[in-house]
Amino acid sequence: MPTFIPVLAALAAGALAATLTHPSPAAAEPPPSRGAAGAVFVATNHNNTTDPTEPANQVAYYRRAADGTLTLTGRYDTGGQGSGPSQRFAGDGLGSGGSVTLSGDHKWLLVTNAGSDTVSVFRVRRDSLRLTDVEPTGDSSPGHRFPNSVTIDGNMVYVLNAGDDASITGFRLSGTGRLRPIPGSTRELDANQPRFAPDPLSDPAQVAFTPDGSQLVVSIKDGPAAGFVPGFTPTGPGRVLVFGMRGRVPSAGYTRTDFDNRGPFGFSFDDAGNLVIAQFVGGGLETVGGREELTGAVGSYRINDNGTLTPLTGFAGDHQVDTCWVVNNGRYAFGSNYTSGTISSFRIAADGTLSLLDPVAASTDHPGNTQGSTPLDLGISPDGRFLYLVEPGAGKVGAWRIGPDGALTRLGEYDGLPRTVDGDHAPVDFGAGGSPAGIAVL
């Protein structure tokens, strides 16, 4: 049975005061070095089941120069289907973080295929990718569909299936880039998603190992409290689930922390292993641009051995709309704001507490469509000096240099991604087209 831990009542009250496809090279090459230069990988999240003239899911490979600028080298088929644009948010078909991730040694890239219920593995080469495996993430029954997040620790891989009641399931990654299911690793999440494809306003958002590999963390947004979005009923209070790892399999139950409908979404870990998590409606109601809006926030929490969360900063509001993803370099955290089209910055203190540094640390180009650039997933270079942002509304990757004071200096916005459909709402789920999501940086 799960253990339930509510967030402190005082924090809850304060919430109202966030195509080129290359052949596989014949000879193996080392991945890009961990030095100043590197690479950026972004999934297009394409779906072509209704239009075969479109590509299926692909990964765009950008070479990253020592100065942080990007050059597209190619796009590589994942062997699966993305979700395409969603009926709720065309710019965010997955509603998740971590749909693309790198192994710790940077040799392997993992990508989820939500439209075909599979996960792909690529061997990372200096200027290319080689597909080594595509595996189903379940039996396609309810709760085993729509993989939208993946994490890796050593050779252990866990995938989040976000549909219906949702689940996590594990694989062992071989030295040749093949995935093998871990017997007894699947765990149900009681996510209570009433429709398929799952609604990105409420669906499970991310799975990730803690930095020491001893626990698995899952966030479930559940959506704003009832009454804020017409016709929408939240699927829960907003939840973070923590599983202890017992060898290669998670504990039978999880410890659950409720977030009072603040919308826990994408997350990362600071240098001390604290959870830094975006809460897309965590800032409460504010007047933004002359309109009353639910604003976003970012919070930090210590993860205890028993899976409970101790608030360090329950939520630091940023006065922006839809703070959905957050990454950090140990000193500063950066949250992307989907509707505002901005990035907010936060200072991380030595004790893990957060304070708002700049509500608009960076703005993105407006591409001229209704929903703007719709910024999504963020990534930081391993040296902590450069920040990258997926912009489905513009079909670009934004890039900034991170200063020693946390200030962002714009490097540019780089073409190479499909631009999602205009209007922010697609006519059907799993329709043709791209809705880029997921980024990994080395």
Side-chain angles (χ1 to χ4, degrees):
M1 293 292 292
T3 301
F4 303 97
I5 307 294
V7 170
L8 297 177
L11 295 178
L16 295 179
T19 308
L20 342 152
T21 300
H22 292 285
S24 301
E29 297 176 18
S33 72
R34 299 188 186 207
V40 172
F41 308 99
V42 180
T44 66
N45 199 29
H46 258 114
N47 189 294
N48 71 352
T49 54
T50 61
D51 183 357
T53 65
E54 290 271 353
N57 197 14
Q58 296 180 319
V59 175
Y61 187 136
Y62 296 85
R63 286 290 298 160
R64 181 173 65 83
D67 63 359
T69 57
L70 301 181
T71 302
L72 179 69
T73 68
R75 290 193 289 271
Y76 299 83
D77 295 332
T78 68
Q81 296 282 356
S83 71
S86 80
Q87 292 183 69
R88 172 74 70 177
F89 305 116
D92 185 15
L94 294 179
S96 72
S99 60
V100 176
T101 195
L102 278 161
S103 61
D105 59 10
H106 296 173
K107 291 181 179 179
W108 306 104
L109 184 75
L110 296 112
V111 184
T112 60
N113 302 300
S116 55
D117 306 326
T118 59
V119 61
S120 300
V121 184
F122 289 93
R123 179 68 165 92
V124 178
R125 302 179 184 276
R126 188 169 300 278
D127 285 299
S128 63
L129 296 172
R130 181 173 67 86
L131 184 66
T132 60
D133 200 10
V134 183
E135 292 293 333
T137 60
D139 58 10
S140 294
S141 63
H144 291 235
R145 300 182 291 177
F146 205 84
N148 68 351
S149 184
V150 60
T151 185
I152 183 169
D153 179 64
N155 68 350
M156 280 194 301
V157 173
Y158 270 79
V159 178
L160 171 62
N161 291 304
D164 305 280
D165 276 339
S167 63
I168 55 171
T169 193
F171 300 86
R172 187 173 177 179
L173 178 64
S174 75
T176 58
R178 304 285 295 182
L179 292 173
R180 293 294 176 261
I182 298 173
S185 66
T186 301
R187 298 290 182 268
E188 307 300 322
L189 303 182
D190 302 314
N192 189 34
Q193 299 302 301
R195 53 164 276 198
F196 189 79
D199 189 338
L201 190 62
S202 64
D203 67 347
Q206 187 170 345
V207 62
F209 283 101
T210 54
D212 65 2
S214 67
Q215 293 166 307
L216 268 174
V217 180
V218 178
S219 59
I220 304 175
K221 300 191 289 288
D222 283 327
F228 282 109
V229 177
F232 172 79
T233 300
T235 56
R239 295 164 277 174
V240 170
L241 316 180
V242 179
F243 293 85
M245 291 301 296
R246 308 289 186 261
R248 294 186 177 275
V249 301
S251 54
Y254 50 76
T255 299
R256 170 178 139 185
T257 300
D258 292 347
F259 273 68
D260 308 301
N261 289 109
R262 298 203 302 273
F265 203 136
F267 59 84
S268 59
F269 300 97
D270 69 13
D271 289 348
N274 297 312
L275 179 71
V276 180
I277 187 164
Q279 300 165 50
F280 77 99
V281 288
L285 282 170
E286 297 182 28
T287 300
V288 179
R291 297 177 53 185
E292 196 173 51
E293 301 273 11
L294 278 170
T295 59
V298 173
S300 61
Y301 297 80
R302 183 171 62 250
I303 306 176
N304 302 308
D305 291 342
N306 64 359
T308 60
L309 303 183
T310 298
L312 302 173
T313 300
F315 43 91
D318 56 25
H319 318 297
Q320 303 294 292
V321 183
D322 291 333
T323 306
C324 298
W325 297 268
V326 62
V327 293
N328 75 88
N329 67 358
R331 297 181 62 193
Y332 302 102
F334 303 91
S336 62
N337 307 306
Y338 178 91
T339 297
S340 291
T342 59
I343 297 173
S344 299
S345 59
F346 302 80
R347 182 179 285 107
I348 303 174
D351 62 359
T353 57
L354 299 175
S355 57
L356 180 63
L357 182 63
D358 191 343
V360 184
S363 296
T364 57
D365 284 346
H366 195 295
N369 56 7
T370 303
Q371 72 269 41
S373 64
T374 61
L376 263 71
D377 303 67
L378 292 157
I380 290 181
S381 59
D383 60 11
R385 296 178 56 219
F386 300 104
L387 178 72
Y388 299 92
L389 172 67
V390 182
E391 302 174 18
K396 296 181 179 182
V397 178
W400 292 265
R401 181 181 299 108
I402 303 171
D405 58 354
L408 297 179
T409 301
R410 177 189 171 94
L411 298 176
E413 295 186 340
Y414 299 89
D415 292 320
L417 301 178
R419 182 168 156 179
T420 194
V421 298
D422 194 6
D424 204 28
H425 299 280
V428 295
D429 288 314
F430 303 110
S435 181
I439 186 170
V441 182
L442 63 74

Coordinates of all heavy atoms in Angstrom, one line a residue, residues 21 43-49 51 54-59 76-84 94 111-122 131-137 147 430-431 433-434:
T21 N 18.0 11.9 -42.8 CA 18.2 10.7 -42.0 C 19.4 10.0 -42.5 O 19.6 9.7 -43.7 CB 17.0 9.7 -42.2 OG1 15.8 10.3 -41.8 CG2 17.2 8.4 -41.5
A43 N 14.0 15.4 -29.5 CA 13.1 14.6 -30.3 C 12.1 15.4 -31.0 O 11.5 16.4 -30.4 CB 12.4 13.6 -29.3
T44 N 11.7 15.1 -32.2 CA 10.7 15.8 -32.9 C 9.3 15.5 -32.5 O 8.4 16.2 -32.7 CB 10.8 15.6 -34.4 OG1 10.5 14.2 -34.7 CG2 12.2 15.9 -34.9
N45 N 9.1 14.3 -31.9 CA 7.8 13.8 -31.4 C 6.8 13.7 -32.6 O 5.6 13.9 -32.4 CB 7.3 14.6 -30.3 CG 6.2 14.0 -29.5 OD1 6.1 12.8 -29.4 ND2 5.3 14.8 -28.9
H46 N 7.3 13.5 -33.8 CA 6.5 13.3 -35.0 C 5.6 12.1 -34.9 O 6.0 11.1 -34.3 CB 7.4 13.2 -36.2 CG 7.5 14.4 -37.0 ND1 8.7 15.1 -37.2 CD2 6.6 15.1 -37.8 CE1 8.5 16.1 -38.0 NE2 7.2 16.2 -38.4
N47 N 4.4 12.2 -35.5 CA 3.5 11.0 -35.7 C 3.0 11.1 -37.1 O 2.6 12.1 -37.6 CB 2.4 11.1 -34.7 CG 1.5 9.8 -34.8 OD1 0.9 9.5 -35.7 ND2 1.5 9.1 -33.6
N48 N 3.1 10.0 -37.9 CA 2.7 9.9 -39.3 C 1.7 8.8 -39.6 O 1.5 8.4 -40.7 CB 3.9 9.8 -40.2 CG 4.5 8.5 -40.2 OD1 4.2 7.6 -39.4 ND2 5.5 8.2 -41.1
T49 N 0.9 8.4 -38.5 CA 0.0 7.3 -38.8 C -1.2 7.7 -39.7 O -1.7 6.9 -40.4 CB -0.6 6.8 -37.4 OG1 -1.1 7.9 -36.7 CG2 0.5 6.1 -36.6
D51 N -0.8 10.3 -41.9 CA -0.2 11.0 -43.1 C 1.2 10.4 -43.3 O 2.2 10.9 -42.8 CB -0.1 12.5 -42.9 CG 0.4 13.2 -44.2 OD1 0.8 12.5 -45.2 OD2 0.5 14.4 -44.2
E54 N 4.5 12.4 -43.9 CA 5.3 12.9 -42.7 C 6.2 11.9 -42.2 O 6.0 10.7 -42.3 CB 4.3 13.3 -41.6 CG 3.4 14.5 -41.9 CD 4.0 15.8 -41.5 OE1 5.1 15.8 -40.9 OE2 3.5 16.9 -41.9
P55 N 7.3 12.3 -41.5 CA 8.2 11.3 -40.9 C 7.5 10.9 -39.6 O 6.6 11.5 -39.1 CB 9.5 12.1 -40.6 CG 9.0 13.5 -40.5 CD 7.8 13.7 -41.4
A56 N 8.0 9.7 -39.1 CA 7.6 9.3 -37.7 C 8.6 10.0 -36.7 O 9.3 11.0 -37.1 CB 7.7 7.8 -37.6
N57 N 8.7 9.6 -35.5 CA 9.5 10.2 -34.5 C 11.0 10.2 -34.9 O 11.5 9.2 -35.4 CB 9.3 9.6 -33.2 CG 9.9 10.4 -32.0 OD1 10.1 11.6 -32.2 ND2 10.0 9.8 -30.8
Q58 N 11.7 11.3 -34.7 CA 13.1 11.4 -35.0 C 13.8 12.2 -33.9 O 13.2 12.8 -33.1 CB 13.3 12.2 -36.3 CG 12.7 11.6 -37.6 CD 12.9 12.4 -38.8 OE1 12.8 13.6 -38.8 NE2 13.2 11.7 -39.9
V59 N 15.1 12.1 -33.9 CA 16.0 12.9 -33.0 C 16.8 13.8 -33.9 O 17.5 13.4 -34.8 CB 16.9 12.0 -32.2 CG1 17.9 12.8 -31.4 CG2 16.1 11.1 -31.3
Y76 N 17.5 11.6 -37.1 CA 17.6 10.1 -37.1 C 16.3 9.5 -36.6 O 15.7 9.9 -35.6 CB 18.7 9.7 -36.2 CG 20.0 10.3 -36.6 CD1 20.4 11.6 -36.3 CD2 20.9 9.5 -37.4 CE1 21.6 12.1 -36.7 CE2 22.1 10.0 -37.9 CZ 22.4 11.3 -37.6 OH 23.6 11.8 -38.0
D77 N 15.8 8.6 -37.4 CA 14.5 7.9 -37.1 C 14.7 7.1 -35.8 O 15.6 6.3 -35.7 CB 14.1 7.0 -38.2 CG 13.8 7.7 -39.5 OD1 13.4 8.9 -39.5 OD2 14.0 7.1 -40.6
T78 N 13.7 7.1 -34.9 CA 13.7 6.4 -33.7 C 13.1 5.0 -33.9 O 13.3 4.1 -33.0 CB 12.9 7.0 -32.6 OG1 11.5 7.0 -33.0 CG2 13.3 8.5 -32.4
G79 N 12.5 4.7 -35.0 CA 11.8 3.4 -35.2 C 10.5 3.4 -34.5 O 9.9 2.3 -34.4
G80 N 10.0 4.5 -34.1 CA 8.7 4.5 -33.4 C 7.9 5.8 -33.7 O 8.4 6.7 -34.4
Q81 N 6.7 5.9 -33.1 CA 5.9 7.1 -33.4 C 5.9 8.0 -32.1 O 5.8 7.5 -31.0 CB 4.4 6.7 -33.6 CG 4.2 5.9 -34.9 CD 4.3 6.7 -36.1 OE1 4.3 8.0 -36.1 NE2 4.2 6.1 -37.3
G82 N 6.0 9.3 -32.4 CA 5.7 10.3 -31.3 C 4.2 10.4 -31.1 O 3.4 9.8 -31.7
S83 N 3.9 11.3 -30.2 CA 2.5 11.6 -29.9 C 1.9 12.5 -30.9 O 0.7 12.5 -31.2 CB 2.3 12.2 -28.5 OG 2.8 13.5 -28.5
G84 N 2.7 13.4 -31.6 CA 2.2 14.5 -32.4 C 1.6 15.5 -31.5 O 1.6 15.4 -30.2
L94 N 3.3 15.7 -25.2 CA 3.6 14.7 -24.2 C 3.2 15.1 -22.8 O 2.9 14.3 -22.0 CB 5.1 14.4 -24.2 CG 5.6 13.7 -25.5 CD1 7.1 13.5 -25.3 CD2 4.9 12.4 -25.7
V111 N 15.1 7.4 -26.0 CA 14.1 8.2 -26.5 C 12.7 7.5 -26.4 O 12.6 6.3 -26.9 CB 14.3 8.7 -27.9 CG1 13.2 9.7 -28.4 CG2 15.7 9.3 -28.1
T112 N 11.7 8.1 -25.8 CA 10.4 7.4 -25.7 C 9.6 7.7 -27.0 O 9.8 8.8 -27.6 CB 9.6 7.9 -24.5 OG1 9.4 9.3 -24.6 CG2 10.3 7.6 -23.2
N113 N 8.8 6.7 -27.4 CA 7.9 6.9 -28.5 C 6.4 6.7 -28.0 O 5.9 5.5 -28.0 CB 8.2 5.8 -29.6 CG 9.7 5.9 -30.0 OD1 10.1 6.9 -30.6 ND2 10.4 4.8 -29.8
A114 N 5.8 7.8 -27.6 CA 4.5 7.7 -27.0 C 3.4 7.1 -27.9 O 2.5 6.5 -27.4 CB 4.1 9.0 -26.4
G115 N 3.6 7.4 -29.2 CA 2.5 6.9 -30.1 C 2.6 5.5 -30.5 O 1.7 5.0 -31.1
S116 N 3.7 4.8 -30.2 CA 3.8 3.4 -30.5 C 4.2 2.5 -29.3 O 4.4 1.4 -29.4 CB 4.9 3.2 -31.6 OG 6.1 3.7 -31.2
D117 N 4.2 3.2 -28.1 CA 4.4 2.4 -26.8 C 5.7 1.7 -26.8 O 5.8 0.6 -26.4 CB 3.2 1.5 -26.6 CG 1.9 2.1 -26.6 OD1 1.8 3.3 -26.2 OD2 0.9 1.5 -27.1
T118 N 6.8 2.4 -27.2 CA 8.1 1.8 -27.3 C 9.1 2.9 -26.8 O 8.9 4.0 -26.6 CB 8.5 1.4 -28.7 OG1 8.4 2.6 -29.6 CG2 7.6 0.4 -29.3
V119 N 10.3 2.3 -26.6 CA 11.5 3.2 -26.2 C 12.6 2.8 -27.1 O 12.8 1.6 -27.4 CB 11.9 3.0 -24.7 CG1 12.3 1.6 -24.4 CG2 13.0 4.0 -24.3
S120 N 13.4 3.8 -27.6 CA 14.5 3.5 -28.5 C 15.8 3.8 -27.9 O 15.9 4.7 -27.0 CB 14.4 4.4 -29.8 OG 13.2 4.2 -30.4
V121 N 16.9 3.1 -28.3 CA 18.2 3.3 -27.8 C 19.1 3.6 -29.0 O 19.1 2.9 -30.1 CB 18.8 2.0 -27.1 CG1 20.2 2.3 -26.6 CG2 17.9 1.6 -26.0
F122 N 19.9 4.7 -28.9 CA 20.9 5.0 -29.9 C 22.3 5.0 -29.3 O 22.5 5.4 -28.2 CB 20.7 6.5 -30.4 CG 19.4 6.7 -31.2 CD1 18.2 7.1 -30.7 CD2 19.5 6.5 -32.6 CE1 17.1 7.3 -31.4 CE2 18.4 6.8 -33.4 CZ 17.2 7.1 -32.8
L131 N 20.9 3.7 -34.3 CA 19.8 3.0 -33.6 C 20.2 1.6 -33.3 O 20.6 0.8 -34.2 CB 18.6 3.0 -34.4 CG 17.3 2.5 -33.8 CD1 16.8 3.3 -32.6 CD2 16.2 2.4 -34.8
T132 N 20.2 1.2 -32.0 CA 20.6 -0.2 -31.6 C 19.4 -1.0 -31.1 O 19.5 -2.3 -31.1 CB 21.6 -0.2 -30.5 OG1 21.1 0.5 -29.4 CG2 22.9 0.5 -31.0
D133 N 18.3 -0.4 -30.7 CA 17.2 -1.2 -30.2 C 15.9 -0.4 -30.1 O 16.0 0.9 -29.9 CB 17.5 -1.8 -28.8 CG 16.6 -3.0 -28.4 OD1 15.9 -3.5 -29.3 OD2 16.7 -3.4 -27.3
V134 N 14.8 -1.0 -30.3 CA 13.4 -0.4 -30.0 C 12.6 -1.5 -29.3 O 12.5 -2.6 -29.8 CB 12.7 0.0 -31.3 CG1 11.4 0.6 -31.0 CG2 13.6 0.9 -32.2
E135 N 12.2 -1.2 -28.1 CA 11.5 -2.2 -27.3 C 10.1 -1.7 -26.8 O 10.0 -0.5 -26.4 CB 12.3 -2.6 -26.1 CG 13.6 -3.3 -26.4 CD 13.4 -4.7 -26.9 OE1 12.3 -5.3 -26.6 OE2 14.2 -5.2 -27.7
P136 N 9.1 -2.6 -26.7 CA 7.8 -2.1 -26.1 C 8.0 -1.9 -24.6 O 8.8 -2.5 -24.0 CB 6.9 -3.3 -26.4 CG 7.9 -4.5 -26.6 CD 9.1 -4.0 -27.2
T137 N 7.2 -0.9 -24.1 CA 7.3 -0.6 -22.7 C 6.2 -1.2 -21.9 O 6.0 -0.8 -20.8 CB 7.3 1.0 -22.5 OG1 6.1 1.5 -23.1 CG2 8.5 1.6 -23.2
P147 N 4.4 5.9 -23.3 CA 5.6 6.2 -22.6 C 6.1 7.7 -22.9 O 6.2 8.0 -24.0 CB 6.6 5.2 -23.1 CG 6.1 4.8 -24.5 CD 4.6 4.9 -24.3
F430 N -2.7 12.1 -31.7 CA -2.0 11.2 -32.6 C -2.1 11.6 -34.0 O -2.0 10.8 -34.9 CB -2.3 9.7 -32.4 CG -2.1 9.2 -31.0 CD1 -3.2 8.9 -30.2 CD2 -0.9 9.1 -30.4 CE1 -3.1 8.5 -28.9 CE2 -0.7 8.7 -29.1 CZ -1.8 8.4 -28.3
G431 N -2.4 12.9 -34.3 CA -2.5 13.4 -35.6 C -1.1 13.6 -36.2 O -0.1 13.5 -35.5
G433 N 2.2 15.3 -37.8 CA 3.0 16.4 -37.5 C 3.8 16.3 -36.3 O 3.8 15.2 -35.6
G434 N 4.7 17.3 -36.0 CA 5.6 17.2 -34.9 C 5.1 18.1 -33.7 O 4.3 19.0 -33.9

